Amino acid sequence: MAEEAPAPAELAKVDYRPPARDWREPAVDFRRGTYCYGAAPKNLQYLGLPNPRPWQPHDADWKLPPDWKQTILAGMKDRLERFRSFRLFMDICVRCGACADKCHFYLGTGDPKNMPVLRAELMRSVYRRYFTLPGRLLGRLGGGRELTEDVLKEWFYYYHQCTECRRCSVFCPFGIDTAEVTMMGRELLTLVGCNINWILEPAANCYRTGNHLGIQPHAFKDSVDFAVDELEEMTGIRVEAPINKKGAEILYVIPSAETFGTPHYYTLLGTLLLFHAIGLDYTLSAYASEGGNFGLFTSHEVMKRLNAKIYAEARRLGVKWILGGECGHMWRVVHQYMDTMNGPADFLEEPVSPVTGTRFAQARSTKMVHICEFTADLIREGKLRVDPRRNDHWVATFHDSCNPARAMGLLEEPRFVLRSVCQRFHEMPESTIRERTFCCGSGSGLGTDENFEMRMRGGFPRANAVRHVRDRFGVNLVACICAIDKATLPPLLEYWVPGMNVAGVHELVGNALVVEGEKARTQDLRGQPLASPEAPAGA
Amino acid sequence: MSALAPLALVLLLAGLALGAAQIAGLRPVLGVLLPYAAFVTFLLGVCHRILVWVRAPVPFRIPTTCGQQRSLPWITPSRIENPSSTAGVVARMALEVCLFRSLLRGSRAELREGPRLVYADDRLLWLAALAFHWSLLLVVLRHLRFFLEPVPAAIRALAALDGFFQLGAPGLYATDVVLVAALGYLLWRRLANPQLRYLSLSADYFALYLLLGLAASGLLMRHVVRADVLAVKQLALGLVTLSPTVPEGVGSLALLHLLLLSTLAAYFPFSKLMHMGGIFLSPTRNLANTSRAHRHVNPWNAPVATHSYEEWEDEFRDKIRAAGLPLEKG
């Protein structure tokens, strides 16, 4: 647990020298703080996944099904035939090492098996042994490795020490994407029931209730109502926040953490205020109350099952198009998978901003627009009155979340919004932002307490860059557009760079927004006093 | 260990070639039989491997985006690093294939006191890889003069340009020097860098030794133990016109050179060297980032079990009603 984690000075002593032991001899030490607990059987059962049983990774006996080896190999064969990426990435790596020190887990642990190339070799060696001629003929000489229980345990350990952030793919001369290999690894592990609970519990909850925490419809409505009340207290404005409203123009899908978690909640406040200011005809949904998708961290099939509700709900409510909130991996699913898996969305219309008339042509097939695209357009077209002085108590930097940066390319929109509403903004070093951004170290479902040490190690490069801008420019706020970031950056920064704050971009939008009929704003959406209390609005 | 066994293997091959070259009955094996067998293996192997890749579908559009997406008209998109058009993809691939764009991003992370992570540009790998691949291509093109009669003017011009520096007689080819230097560096970094040494397999060294052996035997034939160029050309022409012969004048070094080449060709389809074809098929590089603008179709997209709104409403009906939210079935 967190309180038992070694001190930062201790963790920062990373030894990058490889051990003497040959990497092909599998050996995993499930040391406290460096792995996640196994999935509870009830979660597997609810999703109908194989081999539900009580077990833990630190157990000697993993209670694998008797034919686990055939299952894995058959699953591998099946996926090699269904995914060109998988087959190709197994075949063409030249082990040049360009990716080696690009991984945050490698930088934070010094464990050579966290070099993306070697993490993939854990799988490739098995692939060669069973699926290539040299490996079948020559075994180890042909680069092959027998699939044993120890190898499987190693897969489990290291494929949950990859956050599928794709940073290595940026540097690879062939674009080999470790995220893709990790996804395959986790899919194969799922076939024999080796999942982690921090992923399967949200996935099962999401399947049943529509969101990760298992918030039921009435509780979801309570949270939203509470936000509406709070907003009125702060601004004097009573906003509408419709839920499951048929015939609204836009369905707004959020990461559910915005209804209960901080600092996510302040982003929701900012967004509700924004929608009120522009008179948007929208609805939330208690059924599609989660854009996040822990199926992405389980298997393509579970991803599809969880994602289906978004289009289904858009169709049921009869909206024209869908707007999506600040969530990283949700956008990876929406951008790269949703239309393919659950489209075509031919019952929706090409998104057009009802305020500016701007056509979002980049989303004409999925019909789903990112809130930062939407707001950037509003600001650019002069449809928002903002007073950036209301964010003068913040000196902000922007953390690019992995998925919007490397699986989408949403780089300028959030920056444009941020610069428009916040006067003091500084970028982190170029080698740590945009397509080279560093993961928070807890993405892809690894943000659980028992994994604390590993998360601190994995998040070290990000925290390091934050410290750099804190020391240099006095930065006191990391803005980001990802719900997992908002959950995991606070403890990470508390550990490495104490005193730092984390916020969503739309929280700052909400602070700066000048809304008709508001009372004089003396506090930000967190209830903190503004740096320079201002004259009443409209004065 | 990983580095030594393949070296022994390549030396053994060289020794076998030199020995067999002395035995009249075995010269056709080295000069004709093995090259043919290797060529057929190469051709069939490469075709098979590419077919295996092509037969596997690309179910999802998963480009790695390395720049700004195309979204609002006033935001400048990264047309090449995050392509939204075919032209952009072609440009991205061309940069990748011809200039190793991604390797050019190379950097080195270093942990210093503080603790402070610092990143320095590191383009040595990019430079060595580029130098090696381009010089190898030019060397291969230059070798066409052995297989073509008359020799095309372009090949002649290339050879003349390559020997431009006119060092010694016969002139030293610039590409030979660059090729050996680059291969030497690639081998050296694999051995000298502890992380790289740790992850390198025998196969990684084997390819390097074969290529170094080819370069060394080629250089020896040109500058030290002069090969009978006419005889070698006769052998080469005989192979391509399917009237093979191994003339007297073909020396043991030439046969050794040919054996190493045959080994490389036969080994190629079963090895990482297939990245030559694979790079063109990489879905993270050869697709436009238009996932939201155009629907990408997955051929095996099968229905899955979902939890429908109706099931959800049935389970929570009373709570939905109590919360005052609308119901489909009152």
Side-chain angles (χ1 to χ4, degrees):
Chain A
M1 291 300 285
E3 59 276 9
E4 298 170 22
E10 211 46 48
L11 278 204
K13 289 180 195 152
V14 185
D15 185 359
Y16 295 101
R17 287 169 310 177
R21 190 192 178 98
D22 190 308
W23 69 262
R24 285 166 291 194
E25 292 161 27
V28 176
D29 173 21
F30 284 95
R31 198 164 50 79
R32 272 183 84 95
T34 67
Y35 65 95
C36 307
Y37 294 147
K42 68 171 169 54
N43 296 317
L44 273 78
Q45 272 153 348
Y46 193 81
L47 289 163
L49 296 177
N51 200 20
R53 73 212 177 281
W55 76 288
Q56 284 306 343
H58 49 255
D59 294 343
D61 178 10
W62 279 20
K63 301 176 196 158
L64 297 171
D67 58 349
W68 69 268
K69 193 169 160 178
Q70 291 87 315
T71 304
I72 295 267
L73 291 174
M76 226 168 147
K77 182 173 186 296
D78 167 47
R79 281 158 185 79
L80 287 165
E81 287 162 2
R82 280 193 294 130
F83 293 87
R84 186 180 300 168
S85 54
F86 187 32
R87 171 76 75 168
L88 198 74
F89 296 163
M90 288 293 104
D91 279 333
I92 65 172
C93 172
V94 296
R95 289 170 293 276
C96 71
C99 59
D101 61 354
K102 307 306 182 290
C103 173
H104 49 281
F105 280 115
Y106 176 66
L107 290 174
T109 61
D111 183 339
K113 287 178 183 175
N114 273 326
M115 293 191 268
V117 48
L118 210 47
R119 201 188 286 111
E121 282 295 324
L122 301 177
M123 171 93 57
R124 259 186 221 115
S125 52
V126 172
Y127 162 76
R128 284 191 293 261
R129 163 64 186 81
Y130 297 94
F131 299 97
T132 70
L133 197 62
R136 283 203 302 251
L137 290 178
L138 305 169
R140 196 171 159 136
L141 258 181
R145 212 161 59 127
E146 294 288 329
L147 178 58
T148 63
E149 242 182 87
D150 282 340
V151 168
L152 193 79
K153 289 180 178 182
E154 206 177 37
W155 282 8
F156 177 89
Y157 189 67
Y158 289 105
Y159 292 127
H160 291 99
Q161 246 165 75
C162 161
T163 43
E164 302 180 0
C165 85
R166 309 180 110 198
R167 190 170 192 262
C168 50
S169 173
V170 168
F171 296 88
C172 172
F174 316 117
I176 294 174
D177 183 1
T178 303
E180 204 67 5
V181 178
T182 293
M183 285 160 84
M184 292 301 153
R186 293 190 187 180
E187 271 196 30
L188 294 173
L189 289 162
T190 296
L191 296 177
V192 292
C194 297
N195 307 82
I196 68 171
N197 202 52
W198 196 253
I199 292 175
L200 262 277
E201 180 129 349
N205 282 340
C206 206
Y207 196 60
R208 177 176 170 230
T209 63
N211 57 71
H212 293 162
L213 221 63
I215 301 164
Q216 298 183 7
H218 59 298
F220 181 78
K221 181 168 189 305
D222 281 349
S223 305
V224 174
D225 288 347
F226 184 76
V228 169
D229 293 343
E230 279 229 304
L231 209 48
E232 185 175 18
E233 237 168 84
M234 283 183 215
T235 63
I237 291 173
R238 182 96 192 151
V239 307
E240 289 273 313
I243 298 171
N244 290 14
K245 177 185 158 190
K246 285 202 169 177
E249 185 176 1
I250 293 161
L251 168 64
Y252 182 49
V253 179
I254 53 169
S256 65
E258 291 190 5
T259 61
F260 62 82
T262 49
H264 316 65
Y265 172 70
Y266 310 121
T267 301
L268 177 66
L269 296 183
T271 319
L272 294 179
L273 197 58
L274 169 73
F275 293 168
H276 171 85
I278 57 175
L280 194 70
D281 175 18
Y282 77 101
T283 180
L284 293 160
S285 163
Y287 166 64
S289 46
E290 176 73 73
N293 187 328
F294 274 44
L296 174 68
F297 313 140
T298 309
S299 72
H300 286 83
E301 195 206 11
V302 177
M303 186 198 328
K304 183 178 172 179
R305 289 168 67 187
L306 297 185
N307 170 261
K309 65 177 182 282
I310 296 182
Y311 276 156
E313 189 66 342
R315 184 196 291 264
R316 186 184 74 88
L317 295 173
V319 300
K320 286 185 183 169
W321 54 276
I322 310 167
L323 187 62
E326 294 185 10
C327 180
H329 79 272
M330 151 183 170
W331 271 97
R332 174 144 187 210
V333 175
V334 167
H335 186 74
Q336 293 194 325
Y337 296 105
M338 179 167 80
D339 200 9
T340 298
M341 286 178 161
N342 290 313
D346 45 14
F347 49 90
L348 297 172
E349 295 174 17
E350 182 177 336
V352 176
S353 171
V355 185
T356 64
T358 298
R359 270 182 185 283
F360 297 103
Q362 74 274 19
R364 63 180 172 272
S365 179
T366 48
K367 322 288 200 294
M368 188 150 173
V369 175
H370 194 288
I371 183 88
C372 285
E373 293 170 332
F374 182 72
T375 306
D377 170 60
L378 291 172
I379 294 173
R380 169 83 181 190
E381 301 300 322
K383 301 293 181 193
L384 293 186
R385 274 187 66 198
V386 289
D387 181 356
R389 287 174 309 169
R390 294 183 189 169
N391 282 313
D392 275 353
H393 54 308
W394 295 128
V395 185
T397 188
F398 182 70
H399 158 68
D400 288 277
S401 308
C402 310
N403 289 299
R406 283 185 289 260
M408 202 174 165
L410 185 90
L411 308 174
E412 293 306 327
E413 295 87 342
R415 285 178 167 79
F416 174 79
V417 173
L418 205 50
R419 283 200 169 98
S420 308
V421 299
C422 179
Q423 301 199 82
R424 299 194 289 171
F425 172 77
H426 300 278
E427 293 278 15
M428 283 180 273
E430 207 51 47
S431 47
T432 70
I433 56 169
R434 298 177 192 271
E435 74 273 10
R436 298 177 185 215
T437 190
F438 272 111
C439 174
C440 62
S442 305
S444 81
L446 309 183
T448 170
D449 272 354
E450 71 265 18
N451 198 35
F452 190 80
E453 181 187 325
M454 193 49 70
R455 290 167 51 200
M456 296 305 103
R457 289 179 178 278
F460 173 58
R462 170 42 74 223
N464 216 266
V466 171
R467 189 167 56 190
H468 176 81
V469 285
R470 180 197 66 180
D471 296 347
R472 202 163 156 195
F473 306 111
V475 163
N476 60 6
L477 180 78
V478 177
C480 61
I481 49 169
C482 168
I484 287 183
D485 276 324
K486 287 169 197 166
T488 65
L489 284 175
L492 176 83
L493 296 174
E494 191 50 42
Y495 183 86
W496 289 112
V497 199
M500 197 56 63
N501 298 280
V502 177
V505 167
H506 280 77
E507 176 188 337
L508 303 195
V509 170
N511 287 345
L513 208 51
V514 180
V515 189
E516 197 152 330
E518 68 181 2
K519 63 184 192 192
R521 300 271 288 272
T522 53
Q523 297 176 325
D524 67 4
L525 295 177
R526 300 186 174 200
Q528 299 179 151
L530 295 180
S532 47
E534 53 178 33
Chain B
M1 190 57 226
S2 294
L4 287 178
L7 181 62
L9 183 59
V10 172
L11 290 174
L12 179 72
L13 280 172
L16 283 174
L18 292 178
Q22 310 305 322
I23 302 164
L26 289 181
R27 285 170 59 84
V29 175
L30 286 178
V32 179
L33 193 67
L34 286 178
Y36 273 154
F39 183 69
V40 170
T41 309
F42 173 82
L43 220 53
L44 292 179
V46 168
C47 288
H48 171 74
R49 174 68 37 199
I50 288 182
L51 271 178
V52 166
W53 289 336
V54 172
R55 269 207 310 260
V58 180
F60 303 104
R61 192 177 273 275
I62 52 166
T64 305
T65 57
C66 298
Q68 172 61 35
Q69 67 165 357
R70 186 171 169 199
S71 62
L72 296 160
W74 46 271
I75 296 178
T76 312
S78 249
R79 287 176 202 287
I80 295 176
E81 303 282 28
N82 187 348
S84 53
S85 67
T86 308
V89 172
V90 170
R92 187 183 200 190
M93 289 301 294
L95 284 179
E96 214 56 272
V97 171
C98 303
L99 293 177
F100 302 2
R101 169 69 187 97
S102 291
L103 272 188
L104 187 57
R105 292 195 183 98
S107 68
R108 209 177 47 247
E110 203 182 299
L111 181 58
R112 296 199 183 146
E113 274 306 300
R116 225 156 41 92
L117 274 168
V118 288
Y119 310 92
D121 285 340
D122 182 2
R123 304 214 167 94
L124 258 179
L125 173 61
W126 168 79
L127 190 68
L130 203 66
F132 157 67
H133 282 88
W134 275 103
S135 53
L136 182 65
L137 176 68
L138 294 173
V139 168
V140 168
L141 287 175
R142 227 176 46 213
H143 274 69
L144 286 176
R145 69 196 174 110
F146 288 105
F147 296 89
L148 300 170
E149 191 55 45
V151 179
I155 304 291
R156 269 192 233 268
L158 177 69
L161 191 66
D162 202 349
F164 173 78
F165 297 105
Q166 307 233 336
L167 292 165
L172 194 60
Y173 284 125
T175 46
D176 285 349
V177 178
V178 175
L179 181 69
V180 173
L183 277 171
Y185 172 74
L186 292 173
L187 177 61
W188 177 83
R189 71 185 282 273
R190 241 182 229 291
L191 292 167
N193 177 312
Q195 286 80 17
L196 215 50
R197 196 171 60 239
Y198 187 73
L199 64 87
S200 292
L201 301 171
S202 302
D204 301 319
Y205 294 106
F206 185 57
L208 285 170
Y209 295 145
L210 270 181
L211 286 159
L212 275 166
L214 275 163
S217 51
L219 279 166
L220 279 175
M221 272 189 286
R222 183 168 169 84
H223 300 286
V224 184
V225 190
R226 302 295 308 278
D228 179 342
V229 176
L230 280 178
V232 171
K233 177 144 188 174
Q234 222 179 338
L235 169 68
L237 276 174
L239 286 173
V240 289
T241 54
L242 300 184
S243 44
T245 152
V246 186
E248 274 303 301
V250 175
S252 12
L253 255 185
L255 290 174
L256 179 151
H257 194 69
L258 194 52
L259 179 74
L260 291 183
L261 177 65
S262 304
T263 309
L264 185 70
Y267 173 65
F268 195 98
F270 307 100
S271 71
K272 68 173 195 177
L273 302 174
M274 276 306 294
H275 66 264
M276 181 173 103
I279 188 171
F280 293 95
L281 293 173
S282 186
T284 56
R285 291 286 189 269
N286 71 4
L287 289 170
N289 178 35
T290 52
S291 313
R292 280 188 293 152
H294 303 290
R295 180 164 190 254
H296 180 86
V297 176
N298 170 7
W300 50 260
N301 189 23
V304 292
T306 58
H307 192 68
S308 69
Y309 173 85
E310 288 71 23
E311 288 168 301
W312 179 83
E313 185 180 279
D314 284 343
E315 181 173 355
F316 300 115
R317 181 173 315 282
D318 296 345
K319 290 167 175 166
I320 296 171
R321 188 181 292 113
L325 290 174
L327 285 161
E328 288 284 343
K329 297 186 246 172

